[in-house]
Amino acid sequence: MIGNHLTQHRELSLLAIGLACHIQSLPTGARSDIKTLTACFDEGSTRIAAALRELEAHGYLRRELHRTPTGRIVTRTVSCNQPGAARPSHAHPEPATPPPPPPFRTPADSPADPPAEWHRMRNCDGCDRGFRAPESRSRCPDCLTAASNGHAPS
């Protein structure tokens, strides 16, 4: 049974409510990742991902990372019929303070310095691919190489 607290939730979008109802109707263990849900519905992956984030923010969905016996890390999505209900005792509580940010790296610490001058993005006159170059160049490096070798650009 799906409660009115979900179907009449004022802060959730209609897509999030419908997605939550669909997920709750699935059998235990059924896939409910973005790719699978996108294959089931006309909404694109961006909209489905946003709806899942809504549900997660309001406690109707929980995503947990698990390591498989082979060492691969997978995300398990857990649907919560009663948001705010006690979590199972085997779940790890969230840390009281977030982990510290990574150490600050100065530009001198960077492995590769960016070019001294950035050029705007343009489309190649030969193949229509995007590339960065000075205004004086109208073809990408591949078309320039092909032209110098006597070949037509691809």
Side-chain angles (χ1 to χ4, degrees), residues 62-116:
R62 214 172 48 241
R63 298 184 214 192
E64 301 171 345
L65 296 179
H66 290 277
R67 187 176 300 273
T68 65
T70 62
R72 188 172 158 222
I73 296 177
V74 296
T75 303
R76 191 175 111 204
T77 303
V78 179
S79 174
C80 305
N81 294 337
Q82 296 292 326
R87 293 178 83 172
S89 60
H90 67 274
H92 300 288
E94 293 292 322
T97 58
F104 177 74
R105 292 176 54 160
T106 64
D109 297 335
S110 299
D113 291 331

Side-chain angles (χ1 to χ4, degrees), residues 28-66:
T28 301
R31 294 181 58 110
S32 58
D33 58 284
I34 295 169
K35 188 181 285 187
T36 301
L37 293 169
T38 302
C40 292
F41 300 103
D42 290 336
E43 283 72 20
S45 60
T46 304
R47 292 190 65 206
I48 287 181
L52 291 175
R53 284 192 301 273
E54 276 184 71
L55 294 170
E56 194 172 18
H58 288 280
Y60 287 98
L61 208 64
R62 214 172 48 241
R63 298 184 214 192
E64 301 171 345
L65 296 179
H66 290 277

